[in-house]
């Protein structure tokens, strides 16, 4: 029998970069350029798309900082932070049970 909750969770979190972005923002608020540097291999257009999606579903907030220079900061919402224990558990499981590979 299919677990609908797991299916929905992995369809969303398993979408390339979503889970990693949430985990990265779990370290604290970050700007677009900081996130791009923290995630080697992600294109700016994909990063922009994923952040927009995370903002739309209410897991991340986007704040425009007055300038100069004007900046944008992304931060986990309460709902976004609620997934961190699950992401930590999955990361722990991966470290213990999957072959080591480079971070992508």
């Amino acid at each position: 029998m299919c677990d609908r909750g797991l299916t929905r969770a992995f369809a969303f979190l398993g979408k390339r970069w979503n889970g990693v972005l949430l985990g990265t923002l779990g370290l604290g608020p970050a700007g677009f350029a900081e996130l791009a540097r923290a995630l080697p291999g992600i294109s700016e257009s994909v990063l922009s798309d994923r952040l927009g999606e995370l903002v739309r579903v209410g897991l991340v907030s986007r704040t425009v900082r007055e300038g100069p220079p004007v900046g944008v900061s992304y931060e986990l919402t309460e709902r976004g932070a609620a997934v961190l224990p699950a992401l930590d558990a999955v990361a722990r499981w991966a470290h213990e049970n999957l072959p080591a590979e480079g971070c992508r």
Side-chain angles (χ1 to χ4, degrees):
M1 182 161 104
C2 177
D3 183 306
R4 290 179 190 224
L6 281 177
T7 301
R8 286 178 55 221
F10 278 100
F12 185 78
L13 295 173
K15 191 172 191 178
R16 187 153 172 93
W17 301 110
N18 278 356
V20 176
L21 267 168
L22 291 169
T24 302
L25 287 171
L27 301 173
F32 189 90
E34 292 171 87
L35 291 168
R37 282 191 302 272
L39 303 170
I42 192 170
S43 70
E44 288 189 5
S45 64
V46 171
L47 178 57
S48 180
D49 288 347
R50 294 304 182 264
L51 286 169
E53 182 177 25
L54 293 170
V55 169
R56 276 191 304 281
V57 299
L59 301 179
V60 170
S61 65
R62 179 181 185 272
T63 305
V64 177
R65 296 183 314 265
E66 297 292 326
V70 173
V72 176
S73 180
Y74 296 91
E75 184 173 10
L76 292 179
T77 63
E78 190 174 318
R79 288 179 51 208
V83 76
L84 292 177
L87 292 177
D88 288 341
V90 169
R92 217 173 17 262
W93 173 84
H95 288 298
E96 294 169 2
N97 295 286
L98 296 177
E101 293 184 19
C103 191
R104 297 181 218 217

